[in-house]
Each structure stands twice: as structure tokens, then as C-alpha cells.
Amino acid sequence: MVVAIDGPAGAGKSSVARAVANALGFTYLDSGAMYRAVGLAALERELPPSVVAPALRIELGDRVRIDGHDVTEAIRTPAAAEAASRAAADPAVRAALVVQQRQIVGAGDWVAEGRDIGTVVAPEAAVKVFLTASPEERARRRAQQIGADLQTVLAEQAIRDERDQTREHSPLEAAPDATLLDTTGLPLEQVVERIVALVRRARADAQAGG
Ligand code: CDP
């Protein structure tokens, strides 16, 4: 079974998806880490992301590795985030990563987090959630997380939001059958509880329907 959690930066996807995976005993997939890995590798190798993406060996888990090198921290810098956002606008990069992501979630139980999980990677997902929060709340969370200045984060976030929403290929948008969840002012535990309840209901419906 796939639980798809999509939404913009800072909506709380990572913490929520990890906690939901823990609560259900599912495996967590951070698809954004893959775009970050491609962005970082393109920066370091001074090559276009579309050239780097198909040949890159990305290992995900407690640590993130590119071709064996640990990049867990390196992919979280603002420069890597910006490179990821640019790489993610390239259809060749998306095609390469979506193939890998479909393979990953094709077997077993997954909580997959990203921008296009419910729309492109796993449109058949049993549960789809689109997490949102106000831009100020999202920037505040991110600034706290990375220890950066709020106004700078807010400005960078606006640029990335605009690029995510207006790119031609797989722009950030909720799947028509996704449950919208606004996490502004909502504690993590409550967001997790709601999603776990959706999964339980989907399971019960599947059993009832045969
Ligand atoms: O942490 P944040 O939400 O800012 O970013 P992320 O989830 O780590 O993703 C990094 C970048 O990859 C974002 O700017 C997205 O544009 C892109 N991305 C995407 O296009 N599709 C996905 N499924 C996941 C991430």
C-alpha cells in the first residue's frame, strides 16, 4: 500500500511522513532527497542535472549517499535546495527519478513524500494527502530548522514556490482525490493521527470491498 503525502516546502511533510511511517510500520520515501542529490551532484560536477541524473546511484535511508559518498548534510544546504528546485524543473530529470521512485514503491508498504507522488509517481495510492500551511508558518518552521534568518527564508521560499507551481512538467498541485490538510497551528501528533485514521479507513474499505 502507498500513502502519498505531497505539498509545498515547510508544510511539515518530512516530520509528518516519518511519523506516519513509524506509526504504521511502513517504510518512508523522501523523494525530495533524490532531487536534492541530483541538484548537488550537478553543482559539484558542473554538469547539467539532466546529464547527471540517469547515471547517479542514490542510496536513501538513515544516511543519503551519492555513488557511495555520504551527502546527508550536504543536500540540506540552501544552495543544494536551490539546485534541487532547478533540477526538478527539468523533464529529463523528473523522468529518470520517477522511474526509480515507481520501482521503489512498487512492492511493500510505503509512506512517500514529495510534490507529485499522488499525481504522477503513485496515482493509484490508497491514501493521498496534500499538506499545506500559511507561507509565514512554513518559513518560520524552516528558519528554525536550519537556523537561518526568517526574512531570507521567506524570500527564498517565495521564489521556489513560484517555480514549483508554474513549471511546465508536474507542477505542484493536489491530486483531485487528495485530502487537503492545513497544518497551520496544528500540532504534529494531530496531523499524524488524522492521516493514520485515513489509512485505517482505506484498509477497512479495501477489505469490505474484497
Ligand atoms: O524540503 P523542501 O520541501 O523544501 O524540499 P524537498 O522536498 O527536499 O525537495 C527539494 C526540491 O525538489 C523542491 O524544490 C521540489 O521542487 C523538488 N521536488 C519535486 O519536484 N518533486 C518531488 N516529488 C520532490 C521534490
Side-chain angles (χ1 to χ4, degrees), residues 155-177:
E156 285 174 359
Q157 176 180 281
I159 294 169
R160 287 211 288 145
D161 277 357
E162 167 78 13
R163 195 184 288 137
D164 280 355
Q165 282 158 11
T166 59
R167 72 179 169 224
E168 196 179 335
H169 297 273
S170 308
L172 173 65
E173 60 184 3
D177 51 348

Side-chain angles (χ1 to χ4, degrees), residues 6-11 13-14 30-33 35-36 75-76 80-82 84-86 88-89 94 101 113-117 121 142 145 160 163-164 167 170:
D6 291 302
K13 291 190 306 288
S14 301
D30 177 3
S31 67
Y35 288 94
R36 285 170 178 270
I75 60 166
R76 300 293 159 194
E82 174 62 22
S85 165
R86 275 184 278 116
R94 303 203 70 84
Q101 290 157 2
E113 170 222 322
R115 302 290 196 285
D116 61 345
I117 306 296
V121 176
R142 181 50 54 98
Q145 198 177 41
R160 287 211 288 145
R163 195 184 288 137
D164 280 355
R167 72 179 169 224
S170 308

Side-chain angles (χ1 to χ4, degrees), residues 23-164:
L24 295 167
F26 288 15
T27 314
Y28 163 64
L29 174 66
D30 177 3
S31 67
M34 299 173 77
Y35 288 94
R36 285 170 178 270
V38 170
L40 179 69
L43 267 189
E44 286 180 346
R45 298 174 192 184
E46 298 182 4
L47 286 170
S50 57
V51 172
V52 170
L56 213 58
R57 197 161 48 84
I58 306 169
E59 291 169 61
L60 301 172
D62 285 344
R63 310 293 298 173
V64 179
R65 293 190 177 81
I66 302 176
D67 293 339
H69 297 289
D70 194 321
V71 293
T72 314
E73 282 81 31
I75 60 166
R76 300 293 159 194
T77 65
E82 174 62 22
S85 165
R86 275 184 278 116
D90 186 326
V93 172
R94 303 203 70 84
L97 294 189
V98 166
V99 167
Q100 295 183 28
Q101 290 157 2
R102 285 189 180 147
Q103 267 168 1
I104 294 171
V105 302
D109 291 321
W110 291 89
V111 177
E113 170 222 322
R115 302 290 196 285
D116 61 345
I117 306 296
T119 48
V120 177
V121 176
E124 75 298 342
V127 173
K128 299 181 188 180
V129 176
F130 195 83
L131 285 188
T132 57
S134 70
E136 293 75 21
E137 168 110 0
R138 290 163 44 213
R140 197 183 49 71
R141 289 177 186 162
R142 181 50 54 98
Q144 207 167 36
Q145 198 177 41
I146 62 175
D149 167 65
L150 179 61
Q151 290 311 318
T152 310
V153 172
L154 200 52
E156 285 174 359
Q157 176 180 281
I159 294 169
R160 287 211 288 145
D161 277 357
E162 167 78 13
R163 195 184 288 137
D164 280 355

